[in-house]
């Protein structure tokens, strides 16, 4: 009777709650992506990838704050908004644990962050928990920098100040907080006897009883978790090793073992596993795989353990880089070798380039737009840091395969997103990096991918090929020229020529190079394309092929010259009209007559003076007489100005035309 039942106001509030929840989740997700990006290169956050992450975070924060406060509690690997857990996902779990392991209970965002502030925040969230504790806790560390956009509140005995609500049971626990000393007393740590294995067995039994019966007094689970963590890390090393090995062995069928493993951070757990191996016990990597297969830890624990076993204390940064690449961190082969964190990442990429290349590509392709953008920027940042070009090539192999897929799908937005960050990174690097970029771009622009795009264009009639290939610059022009040289189908040739006429003018050198091809039809294609846009610089090269052995090439040259050079082509066309091959002279004169300006008129006058072909001289004179500026040119011809005096017969022809023009 006391239950008021569902409120009639609930349905209208549900959409608002859903919108606010989605906006908060978006902020948390972007904060995690930013943290992952920062961890990839903590010593050099001024990379494009981090700048892009800052912008995405700012946009998500602006949208969320417009709907309400971004103020969440952290309970282990979960976020709670307004008393209700938010829908969980891997990125949110990792961010929650990163905070939780550093004794953070509440995260509140109050303003749009800037890059410097996020750098401070992420630096704190990347520091070992013990180091933060020695510095007075994460809240004090952040207070020193006066961050105005975010606050992180530590685990404490009291209610979180200004929190949305008081967590269940927390108010009662304020007077009897459970700390590590109290818990150690409850567990009778001092009374443990026997071998390290016996002591670990006894301790596990006592912990099982404690956890099964609940914490002593009304202690929140988050306090119990923290206190157990402190007790376990404070055990003697031999007892701790025995206990961890026992927990790992039993975790598949023992929920308590899983909860106890959960009190340890990835770094602590990895070090414990490596300690077990150093003591002559089990293989630490095998133990890590057991944890992964049991589902109590993400599979990145395997890679962390491998790296730590190889002596890389900074191996935590590996995981962020792999996450940003969208790589499934499954079981791998041999342990990683020596070198930097970036070398470890590259060796990982090398290992996956064979058996798992397909999985990597599909993982990248399946990611949403924001995640995909982060992945590409992370690849670019990795390439900027990697000094071994062979290893960088492994990452580029994955990238080029994804780029090829985007070309085949005619996805110009995807092509831009994949191509530009990597181009900026590599073409601005050392001497060998531009060549590396060129090599993998060519691998992406496969004949099969472009032909698939052409076939789709034939099918739907939507011209999209030029916008897809334009970002590739010269490489896009070259692949189109190669396909045009081999294509027999008239419709496909038209599509290829149409795309070339749109993008080739920006890269004429690629087309000019085809003028030296041994195949006459390739040279003819190049001449036609060069004549599709103004560019006087190509005139000397076109003039060279005006004497090509193939008439099909020679006859294309005059019109191409006129279109490409305008008035600048007049001198070349005049020369061809007078001295060129017989089958080119008439076409050269016709093209010269289409030009406007005094250069063309003078060129026609020169044909009248110097040509030995009576027909050519007559046609030139007729064209000159019909031009708006022709009368002046005719007077100069008659007076002999600018050249030798005309024979009397031609002077009479000039007078007739001048008389006709005057009347």
């Amino acid at each position: 009777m006391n239950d008021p039942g569902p409120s009639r106001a609930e349905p209208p509030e549900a959409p608002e709650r859903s919108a606010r929840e989605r906006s908060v989740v978006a902020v948390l997700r972007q904060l995690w992506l930013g943290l992952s990006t920062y961890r990839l290169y903590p010593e050099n956050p001024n990379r494009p990838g981090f700048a892009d992450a800052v912008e995405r975070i700012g946009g998500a924060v602006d949208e969320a704050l417009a709907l309400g406060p971004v103020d969440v509690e952290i309970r282990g690997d979960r976020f709670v908004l307004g008393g209700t857990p938010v829908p969980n996902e891997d990125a949110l779990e990792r961010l929650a644990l990163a905070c939780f392991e550093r004794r953070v209970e509440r995260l509140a965002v109050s303003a749009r962050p800037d890059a410097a502030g996020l750098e401070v925040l992420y630096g704190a969230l990347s520091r070992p928990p013990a180091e933060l504790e020695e510095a007075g806790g994460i809240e004090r560390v952040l207070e020193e920098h006066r961050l105005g956009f975010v606050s992180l509140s530590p685990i404490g005995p009291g209610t979180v100040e200004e929190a949305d609500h008081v967590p269940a049971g927390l108010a009662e626990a304020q007077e009897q907080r459970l700390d590590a000393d109290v818990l150690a007393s409850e567990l009778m740590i001092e009374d443990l006897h026997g071998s390290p294995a016996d002591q670990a067995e006894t301790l596990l039994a006592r912990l099982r009883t404690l956890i099964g019966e609940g914490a002593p007094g009304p202690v929140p689970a988050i306090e119990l978790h923290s206190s157990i963590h402190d007790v376990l890390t404070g055990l003697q090393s031999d007892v701790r090793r025995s206990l961890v090995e026992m927990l790992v062995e039993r975790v598949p069928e023992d929920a308590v073992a899983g909860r106890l493993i959960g009190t340890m951070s990835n770094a602590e757990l990895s070090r414990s596993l490596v300690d077990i191996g150093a003591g002559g016990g089990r293989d630490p990597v095998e133990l890590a795989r057991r944890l992964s297969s049991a589902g109590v830890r993400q599979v990145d624990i395997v890679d962390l353990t491998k790296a730590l076993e190889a002596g890389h204390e900074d191996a935590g940064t590996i995981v962020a880089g792999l996450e940003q690449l969208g790589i499934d961190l499954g079981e791998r082969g041999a342990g990683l070798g020596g070198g930097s964190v970036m070398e470890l990442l590259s060796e990982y990429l090398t290992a996956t380039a064979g058996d798992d290349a397909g999985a990597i590509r599909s993982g990248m392709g399946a990611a949403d737009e924001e995640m995909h953008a982060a992945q590409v920027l992370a690849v670019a940042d990795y390439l900027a840091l990697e000094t071994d070009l062979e290893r960088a090539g492994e990452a580029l192999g994955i990238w080029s395969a994804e780029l090829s897929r985007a070309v085949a799908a005619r996805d110009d937005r995807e092509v831009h997103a994949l191509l530009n960050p990597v181009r900026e990174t590599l073409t601005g690097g050392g001497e060998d990096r531009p060549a590396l970029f060129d090599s993998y771009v060519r691998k992406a622009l496969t004949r099969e991918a472009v032909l698939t795009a052409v076939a789709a264009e034939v099918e739907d009639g939507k011209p999209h090929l030029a916008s897809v290939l334009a970002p590739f610059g010269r490489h896009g022009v070259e692949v189109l020229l190669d396909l045009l040289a081999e294509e027999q189908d008239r419709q496909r040739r038209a599509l290829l020529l149409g795309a070339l006429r749109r993008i080739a003018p920006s890269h004429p050198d690629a087309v000019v190079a085809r003028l030296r091809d041994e195949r006459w039809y390739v040279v003819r294609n190049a001449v036609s394309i060069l004549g599709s846009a103004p560019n006087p610089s190509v005139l000397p090269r076109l003039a060279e092929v005006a004497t090509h052995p193939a008439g099909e090439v020679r006859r294309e040259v005059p019109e191409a010259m006129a279109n490409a050079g305008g008035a600048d082509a007049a001198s070349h066309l005049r020369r061809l009209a007078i001295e060129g091959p017989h089958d080119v002279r008439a076409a050269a004169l016709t093209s010269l007559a289409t030009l406007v300006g005094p250069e063309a008129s003078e060129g026609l006058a020169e044909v009248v003076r110097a040509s030995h072909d009576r027909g050519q001289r007559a046609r030139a004179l007729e064209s000159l007489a019909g031009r708006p500026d022709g009368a002046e040119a005719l007077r100069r011809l008659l007076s002999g100005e600018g050249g030798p005096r005309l024979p009397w017969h031609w002077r009479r022809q000039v007078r007739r035309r001048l008389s006709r023009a005057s009347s």
Side-chain angles (χ1 to χ4, degrees), residues 335-393:
L336 299 172
S340 68
V341 170
M342 298 317 302
E343 288 173 328
L344 288 173
L345 176 56
S346 67
E347 288 183 29
Y348 187 96
L349 290 168
T350 300
T352 60
D355 296 339
D356 296 327
I360 294 169
R361 294 188 187 98
S362 63
M364 290 185 73
D368 61 32
E369 189 171 341
E370 286 184 347
M371 179 66 78
H372 196 59
Q375 291 165 348
V376 177
L377 288 168
V379 172
D381 292 329
Y382 161 72
L383 292 170
L385 294 171
E386 179 55 73
T387 57
D388 189 314
L389 296 186
E390 183 177 350
R391 290 169 174 169

Side-chain angles (χ1 to χ4, degrees), residues 181-533:
D181 293 336
V182 173
L183 183 59
S185 176
E186 291 286 337
L187 294 170
M188 298 178 290
I189 297 294
E190 297 298 328
D191 295 337
L192 294 175
H193 300 289
S195 67
D198 292 336
Q199 293 184 52
E201 189 72 62
T202 301
L203 182 57
L204 178 57
R206 293 175 182 177
L207 283 166
R208 189 185 309 282
T209 301
L210 177 67
I211 294 174
E213 294 175 354
V219 177
I222 195 167
E223 289 292 345
L224 181 60
H225 184 293
S226 178
S227 298
I228 290 176
H229 169 271
D230 291 343
V231 167
L232 295 185
T233 54
L235 290 173
Q236 294 181 2
S237 58
D238 53 354
V239 177
R240 185 174 64 253
R241 280 197 297 269
S242 295
L243 179 60
V244 171
E245 185 174 2
M246 189 179 299
L247 293 175
V248 174
E249 280 293 333
R250 300 180 184 182
V251 76
E253 62 277 346
D254 189 337
V256 171
R259 290 185 63 183
L260 294 174
I261 288 290
T263 66
M264 305 177 70
S265 70
N266 277 349
E268 292 166 338
L269 185 54
S270 297
R271 287 186 174 87
S272 295
L273 296 178
V274 172
D275 285 345
I276 292 172
R282 298 279 301 279
D283 179 2
V285 176
E286 287 301 321
L287 293 173
R289 288 181 174 137
R290 185 174 181 84
L291 288 171
S292 170
S293 61
V296 297
R297 280 300 163 98
Q298 296 289 333
V299 290
D300 53 24
I301 192 69
V302 177
D303 295 270
L304 285 172
T305 303
K306 286 180 182 179
L308 286 167
E309 189 179 27
H312 301 282
E313 291 299 314
D314 56 352
T317 59
I318 296 173
V319 177
L322 297 178
E323 288 165 352
Q324 291 290 64
L325 287 173
I327 296 175
D328 180 14
L329 302 176
E331 294 185 357
R332 303 298 169 201
L336 299 172
S340 68
V341 170
M342 298 317 302
E343 288 173 328
L344 288 173
L345 176 56
S346 67
E347 288 183 29
Y348 187 96
L349 290 168
T350 300
T352 60
D355 296 339
D356 296 327
I360 294 169
R361 294 188 187 98
S362 63
M364 290 185 73
D368 61 32
E369 189 171 341
E370 286 184 347
M371 179 66 78
H372 196 59
Q375 291 165 348
V376 177
L377 288 168
V379 172
D381 292 329
Y382 161 72
L383 292 170
L385 294 171
E386 179 55 73
T387 57
D388 189 314
L389 296 186
E390 183 177 350
R391 290 169 174 169
E394 299 296 340
L396 282 169
I398 299 170
W399 169 81
S400 66
E402 184 67 8
L403 188 56
S404 184
R405 183 202 61 77
V407 169
R410 293 188 298 163
D411 190 339
D412 52 348
R413 291 181 59 188
E414 177 79 343
V415 167
H416 276 276
L418 285 165
L419 196 59
N420 291 341
V422 175
R423 175 192 281 122
E424 291 172 6
T425 295
L426 292 183
T427 56
E431 294 181 359
D432 294 332
R433 289 179 177 267
L436 189 68
F437 174 76
D438 289 348
S439 173
Y440 281 92
V441 163
R442 290 191 179 95
K443 288 184 179 181
L445 282 175
T446 64
R447 171 188 172 86
E448 292 73 19
V450 180
L451 283 178
T452 299
V454 171
E457 201 140 304
V458 170
E459 184 70 23
D460 61 24
K462 297 177 181 178
H464 215 51
L465 190 62
S467 59
V468 170
L469 295 181
F472 290 95
R474 180 186 179 112
H475 301 299
V477 174
E478 288 177 342
V479 72
L480 287 173
L481 287 169
D482 288 339
L483 292 175
L484 181 63
E486 301 173 5
E487 185 58 62
Q488 300 295 320
D489 182 82
R490 179 175 296 179
Q491 189 174 7
R492 291 192 177 195
R493 284 183 57 83
L495 288 173
L496 293 169
L497 276 169
L500 277 165
R501 285 175 177 139
R502 285 183 58 189
I503 66 177
S506 299
H507 307 278
D509 290 349
V511 186
V512 167
R514 301 300 172 111
L515 296 176
R516 295 190 294 268
D517 199 285
E518 295 181 354
R519 296 165 293 181
W520 68 265
Y521 50 90
V522 172
V523 180
R524 183 188 61 183
N525 290 339
V527 170
S528 175
I529 293 164
L530 289 173
S532 65

